Amino acid sequence: MVFRSILPALAVAVLAIAGQAAAQTRLSPPNGLGSVLLPTGIERHPLGGDTDETLSFIVRRPGQTGLDWAGLCMVSISRPAKPPTVESWTTVAAIYYANAEQKARERVSGKGGTFDRMLTNKPWTSKTGWAGWFTAYQATTKDGVSESSVFGGTQLAIDIRVVLNCTSSQGQSFTPADLAVIEKLSQSVSN
């Protein structure tokens, strides 16, 4: 009798634990240099797109299903051709952070688009303490389509670089909630 009364509660607890485990998937690129913990709102890209050093993800808002998503993100974890010193990387990160709008304008104009506005710009410190940047901006493509982009970079070690690139789905913009989920993705990268 007692067993029957606790069975529903036990089932709910098991489902809750399973749901938490599903939301806490850790993935590594084939090169094995690091890993990413997927926060709620970030899913594996259903059409693939991974390479030896890059993992592809989608940003999915509540209610979105199938091929409907807010944007695409790629996290690259690789070995730089010339590993930086801590001092030289700190300088690079400071330049990208301090000149985020200029760098965003250069990225957009290089593709023939028009820069609209900055959405956020903040430091991104890796779990191992390396400096970095996390920048998001709104632009209009050369075809007249509005889109949001996120660009960030940091290091996990002297010889392991992390680069984050995200773009909103065509005609959509990243919301503050989307940017918070993408930032959680960036903060989850570890070695």
Side-chain angles (χ1 to χ4, degrees):
M1 221 37 158
V2 174
F3 184 70
R4 281 189 193 162
S5 66
I6 65 167
L7 194 56
L10 182 61
V12 169
V14 168
L15 289 175
I17 292 169
Q20 289 174 357
Q24 295 295 307
T25 303
R26 185 164 289 283
L27 302 166
S28 295
N31 66 14
L33 292 179
S35 65
V36 177
L37 185 65
L38 299 188
T40 301
I42 299 288
E43 299 174 15
R44 291 303 310 265
H45 195 296
L47 304 177
D50 293 350
T51 66
D52 186 53
E53 60 188 34
T54 303
L55 296 169
S56 298
F57 305 102
I58 58 170
V59 179
R60 194 175 307 268
R61 296 176 185 145
Q64 290 182 319
T65 60
L67 297 179
D68 182 25
W69 55 73
L72 170 70
C73 287
M74 297 186 346
V75 176
S76 174
I77 306 173
S78 63
R79 295 200 185 279
K82 183 180 178 191
T85 64
V86 172
E87 295 79 19
S88 66
W89 180 257
T90 301
T91 300
V92 167
I95 289 169
Y96 271 89
Y97 175 69
N99 300 299
E101 185 170 327
Q102 176 190 342
K103 295 290 186 188
R105 287 179 181 278
E106 290 170 2
R107 287 172 61 98
V108 171
S109 65
K111 297 176 185 177
T114 305
F115 175 85
D116 295 332
R117 64 188 168 92
M118 291 295 292
L119 299 175
T120 192
N121 183 41
K122 52 181 70 174
W124 172 13
T125 303
S126 73
K127 288 189 178 285
T128 54
W130 286 74
W133 66 94
F134 181 92
T135 302
Y137 56 90
Q138 191 70 30
T140 303
T141 69
K142 67 180 178 182
D143 299 322
V145 177
S146 180
E147 70 178 18
S148 303
S149 295
V150 175
F151 177 61
T154 190
Q155 299 266 133
L156 290 177
I158 198 163
D159 61 345
I160 302 176
R161 180 163 300 155
V162 180
V163 176
L164 170 72
N165 279 298
C166 302
T167 303
S168 63
S169 295
Q170 187 171 0
Q172 295 193 37
S173 298
F174 284 137
T175 65
D178 296 332
L179 293 174
V181 167
I182 294 168
E183 186 174 10
K184 283 182 187 176
L185 175 67
S186 73
Q187 295 298 326
S188 79
V189 180
S190 63
N191 53 351

